[in-house]
Amino acid sequence: IEAVFAGAFVNPSPLITDIRLSGDVITVSFQGGELETSDAVNGPWTGTGNTSGIHTNSVPEAPVRFYRVRQH
């Protein structure tokens, strides 16, 4: 008997799964693409280059920071 795989691996949907603040460090957990950041909800968005699923950064001096995941 020979095992045969028929199908395809599916990338997870772009999603932020968790955001945690510890002291002055924010950790964003995500899946399905590259994490992007912006100072405004409508952009412009800047890619972090991070597709690993975990992004850690010191809390920005700007009072607001938005995050999204962009599927590539």
Side-chain angles (χ1 to χ4, degrees):
I1 297 175
E2 182 178 330
V4 176
F5 174 76
F9 292 103
V10 178
N11 288 335
S13 297
L15 179 67
I16 292 177
T17 58
D18 191 40
I19 298 177
R20 295 188 185 252
L21 181 63
S22 178
D24 65 348
V25 175
I26 188 167
T27 301
V28 180
S29 300
F30 62 97
Q31 65 182 29
E34 178 186 5
L35 189 68
E36 296 182 331
T37 65
S38 177
D39 292 333
V41 72
N42 59 346
W45 292 91
T46 303
T48 62
N50 187 337
T51 59
S52 72
I54 301 277
H55 178 76
T56 303
N57 201 6
S58 60
V59 176
E61 293 181 12
V64 177
R65 175 69 67 183
F66 295 92
Y67 295 92
R68 74 177 185 186
V69 181
R70 180 179 173 110
Q71 188 173 25
H72 291 281

